[in-house]
Amino acid sequence: MKYVLVSGGVMSGIGKGVIDPYINVDAGTMAPTEHGEVFVLNDGGEVDLDLGNYERYLNIALTRDNNITTGKIFQHVIERERKGDYLGKTVQMVPHVTGAMQEWVERVARIPVDSTNETPDICIIELGGTVGDIESAPFIEAMTQLRRSAGKDNFLHIQVSLVPVNGGEQKTRPTQQAVRSVLSAGLSPDMIFCRCVEPLIKSTIAKIADFCFIEHSNVVSVHDVPNTYSVPPLLEDQGIISIFTKQLDLSSIEISPALYRTGQMNWKQWKDLVDLQKKLSQTVKIALVGKYTSLKDSYLSVIKALEHASMRCSRELNILWVDSEHLEDKHQSVDRPTFDKAWLDVTSADGILIPGGFGERGTEGMIKAAEYARTEHVPFLGICLGMQIAVIEMARNVCGFPHASSVELFSHCPDPVIIFMPEISITHLGGTMRLGLRPTVFQPGLGWSKLRKLYKGNTINERHRHRYEVNPTYVDRLMDRGCKFIGRDDKGERMEILELEDHPWYVGVQFHPEYLSRVLDPSKPYLGFVAASAKCLDQITEELNSKPVLNGEDERVLTNGVKGLEI
């Protein structure tokens, strides 16, 4: 097994973090506005958003064990101590905690992550935060041990740093200081990836290389580009493939011709897509009406799914960020300018999206946005809470239940059209929701459904993260008034998808399709929504249905973004 360690210096938040040195066992109970979105995996693992980036970019399927936290390691070590696994020894940070970290990495590195079902050749380890943080110290020591045990040609260390500009000059001192901290901790970077505004000039590269004891070619400029999809070609242009091949002796790894051809085809499609983005002349405006708009990373997967869909539709994406509280009537008297601005964004958008969330705050504004989309025939997509909001709005304004609500929002509402799922814990929050990959079955008689035409097969698998569901006792009355639940769970008991028949696009889904959206294979609910907003839905639907079937397999049938992975 070959390992690539990515660590950071100068500041956090510049592009790495799969190992998280916080005490939480996982990201499930952390507020989106504090740590960004919680990403959900097939097995129900609630993990750091960085794992979503890996899945989207590499088209792989990870497990909860791929995200390591201090809390997980401590829990694991303490459980072993309680079982007597340490045979009466004094359990210490070194070697027991650091040893557990190393063993965890070595074990997880061998888990297959794609449709080949083969053991991976390379494991990428991202260490969150910055080297020098007190909470990162055990992980640094564990990685030092791993480097020694991995041996020559099997370990590559990349340090990600920031090169600020002051007075027009690129400053290298912060990077030099960060590398000194890494060296003093026992690690020696082989490459330095420099985040910067403009490309590094030769003198800056020379100074960093000379003071940090690495080859000049191993200093890589990761400067600002129009979008993140342009980063891989940027790195390729600087020769990192040849550097990786030499440092890790990658020529010794055998790759099948078929797998090589697939990689070459995907790389060509990727670069073609990046080139196309430079030529776009039309824009699609999407109003994202949410509760956590103060931190855009709270909706990172939603943003990426919208980007994937807009690229597929050959449109430049313009997201209008709308705080749902600003749409509420009571906000009009609090801050009239922000109220007017919020409604201007909603009414000028080509499409309206309401993403997931928890709690009562801002939900009345969401309900008003859903009503506007329905009555004005503006394309609409509701995700998780967004679907529940659509149900509440229709129950109030179409079905004759003016006080309808969710028990999450109003525990004693007279018409609870959204209820707490009976099997969910009411005392413990961490890891107790309905989580992970679960099937949704399309109902019969859906020749009219716009969403159904985008999918292949009667059953789809999507990832879930919720505690509340549509109340079964209200389903028939909602259906009678046009709220069509076109998708249900495999038992036919839970409502998974709603769609309105006489509307350009009005869809709500209980699952989170953004978790499975890929750069070259956009999520179908998002693709249909953006296509309807861009007025090209018929064209996209026709293109999807005319896509050729190769070797008896339909390339559109993807579970978790890669063929062959099922529940």
Side-chain angles (χ1 to χ4, degrees):
M1 179 62 63
K2 299 181 184 294
Y3 300 93
V4 176
L5 171 65
V6 183
S7 61
V10 182
M11 61 181 291
S12 62
I14 55 175
K16 81 270 119 7
V18 166
I19 292 180
D20 287 299
Y22 46 69
I23 303 297
N24 305 62
V25 173
D26 60 33
T29 58
M30 300 175 72
T33 50
E34 179 171 324
H35 196 69
E37 78 165 2
V38 176
F39 191 80
V40 177
L41 303 170
N42 276 358
D43 62 5
E46 296 174 286
V47 298
D48 190 271
L49 56 81
D50 290 282
L51 274 79
N53 289 327
Y54 270 99
E55 287 204 341
R56 281 187 287 269
Y57 270 76
L58 300 179
N59 204 23
I60 57 178
L62 301 175
T63 72
R64 68 179 72 225
D65 284 349
N66 287 95
N67 188 205
I68 308 175
T69 69
T70 300
K72 277 185 181 179
I73 295 296
F74 282 0
Q75 185 181 59
H76 171 71
V77 170
I78 291 170
E79 287 175 354
R80 290 189 61 189
E81 187 276 330
R82 291 291 83 188
K83 289 192 298 183
D85 290 352
Y86 296 111
L87 300 176
K89 293 182 179 179
T90 301
V91 180
Q92 297 175 296
M93 196 66 70
V94 180
H96 301 101
V97 172
T98 57
M101 292 172 178
Q102 183 178 342
E103 291 169 5
W104 192 299
V105 169
E106 292 174 327
R107 172 178 60 83
V108 174
R110 300 186 179 279
I111 298 175
V113 294
D114 63 16
S115 56
T116 66
N117 207 34
E118 296 177 359
T119 300
D121 298 305
I122 301 173
C123 172
I124 300 176
I125 309 163
E126 286 192 341
L127 181 58
T130 56
V131 174
D133 294 343
I134 188 170
E135 59 264 33
S136 299
F139 286 104
I140 295 292
E141 175 61 29
M143 293 303 101
T144 303
Q145 296 173 10
L146 179 62
R147 178 162 198 154
R148 289 196 298 267
S149 63
K152 181 177 169 50
D153 298 331
N154 292 323
F155 196 99
L156 174 68
H157 180 192
I158 299 172
Q159 177 78 358
V160 181
S161 189
L162 178 70
V163 177
V165 175
N166 185 23
E169 180 185 358
Q170 294 178 337
K171 295 295 184 179
T172 65
R173 185 58 59 85
T175 297
Q176 295 176 41
Q177 296 285 12
V179 171
R180 285 198 187 99
S181 296
V182 174
L183 292 170
S184 65
L187 286 170
S188 178
D190 303 292
M191 302 183 71
I192 300 177
F193 280 29
C194 300
R195 285 288 292 112
C196 43
V197 176
E198 299 290 341
L200 294 181
I201 60 177
K202 287 186 178 181
S203 60
T204 301
I205 292 174
K207 186 178 290 187
I208 290 174
D210 294 342
F211 281 92
C212 298
F213 315 110
I214 64 173
E215 297 292 333
H216 287 208
S217 60
N218 287 15
V219 177
V220 179
S221 175
V222 190
H223 46 269
D224 289 355
V225 288
N227 53 63
T228 58
Y229 310 106
S230 300
V231 174
L234 172 69
L235 299 179
E236 183 193 37
D237 290 343
Q238 297 180 71
I240 70 161
I241 294 178
S242 60
I243 296 173
F244 276 35
T245 300
K246 178 182 177 181
Q247 295 275 146
L248 293 171
D249 189 24
L250 297 183
S251 57
S252 64
I253 299 175
E254 292 187 12
I255 301 176
S256 69
L259 196 58
Y260 179 79
R261 286 194 300 270
T262 299
Q264 291 296 306
M265 181 184 67
N266 287 342
W267 186 228
K268 182 181 183 304
Q269 289 178 334
W270 187 293
K271 290 195 288 188
D272 289 346
L273 199 63
V274 170
D275 290 339
L276 177 64
Q277 299 314 296
K278 302 173 184 177
K279 306 171 185 176
L280 297 181
S281 59
Q282 294 178 282
T283 300
V284 60
K285 292 194 299 183
I286 303 298
L288 192 154
V289 182
K291 299 159 61 75
Y292 316 120
T293 54
S294 60
L295 181 65
K296 306 301 187 288
D297 273 0
S298 301
Y299 300 114
L300 184 61
S301 290
V302 172
I303 296 169
K304 296 305 178 184
L306 289 171
E307 289 177 355
H308 302 162
S310 62
M311 287 190 289
R312 180 65 180 80
C313 295
S314 299
R315 297 294 193 277
E316 184 177 348
L317 176 66
N318 180 15
I319 299 178
L320 306 175
W321 294 90
V322 180
D323 186 326
S324 56
E325 279 190 292
H326 295 172
L327 298 173
E328 296 176 354
D329 291 338
K330 63 183 181 182
H331 192 74
Q332 192 170 180
S333 59
V334 175
D335 190 342
R336 183 59 187 259
T338 58
F339 174 85
D340 292 340
K341 175 64 167 58
W343 275 107
L344 176 63
D345 286 342
V346 167
T347 56
S348 64
D350 299 313
I352 298 171
L353 185 148
I354 299 179
F358 297 93
E360 186 271 340
R361 181 180 63 82
T363 52
E364 289 301 319
M366 294 180 180
I367 291 171
K368 287 188 171 294
E371 180 184 14
Y372 176 84
R374 178 180 60 80
T375 57
E376 297 298 323
H377 286 76
V378 177
F380 171 86
L381 179 62
I383 306 295
C384 196
L385 173 63
M387 170 184 160
Q388 297 170 8
I389 289 294
V391 171
I392 294 170
E393 189 279 319
M394 287 202 69
R396 290 182 183 180
N397 300 320
V398 178
C399 301
F401 303 114
H403 302 293
S405 190
S406 164
V407 295
E408 178 186 15
L409 314 179
F410 178 25
S411 58
H412 301 294
C413 63
D415 288 300
V417 293
I418 306 296
I419 59 173
F420 197 85
M421 289 186 290
E423 72 271 28
I424 303 300
S425 171
I426 60 175
T427 58
H428 289 71
L429 298 180
T432 60
M433 286 186 274
R434 184 171 178 248
L435 295 164
L437 196 70
R438 296 173 183 271
T440 293
V441 181
F442 282 112
Q443 303 304 291
L446 297 178
W448 57 270
S449 170
K450 297 176 177 63
L451 176 62
R452 178 68 183 84
K453 292 174 183 176
L454 300 179
Y455 278 105
K456 181 75 172 180
N458 292 322
T459 301
I460 59 174
N461 295 316
E462 296 278 3
R463 295 178 183 176
H464 293 66
R465 185 177 187 251
H466 64 113
R467 290 190 179 92
Y468 299 88
E469 65 175 332
V470 177
N471 190 338
T473 61
Y474 285 85
V475 167
D476 289 342
R477 284 172 283 183
L478 288 164
M479 293 273 287
D480 289 343
R481 299 305 300 270
C483 185
K484 305 294 180 65
F485 293 103
I486 68 169
R488 305 189 182 196
D489 71 346
D490 52 348
K491 295 181 180 179
E493 298 172 352
R494 290 202 161 105
M495 305 302 110
E496 293 279 0
I497 307 173
L498 74 80
E499 183 175 356
L500 301 189
E501 187 168 352
D502 298 319
H503 197 284
W505 181 275
Y506 196 98
V507 171
V509 293
Q510 186 58 73
F511 45 83
H512 287 265
E514 63 270 19
Y515 293 145
L516 294 183
S517 188
R518 301 291 183 261
V519 180
L520 300 178
D521 182 38
S523 156
K524 300 302 185 291
Y526 280 91
L527 179 58
F529 166 63
V530 172
S533 301
K535 297 180 172 53
C536 62
L537 179 58
D538 290 342
Q539 175 190 338
I540 292 296
T541 302
E542 183 179 351
E543 290 176 0
L544 283 177
N545 287 310
S546 62
K547 194 171 184 178
V549 176
L550 302 176
N551 301 322
E553 293 186 0
D554 191 326
E555 290 184 330
R556 292 167 293 167
V557 184
L558 300 175
T559 301
N560 195 58
V562 288
K563 292 181 187 175
L565 292 180
E566 299 178 353
I567 299 173

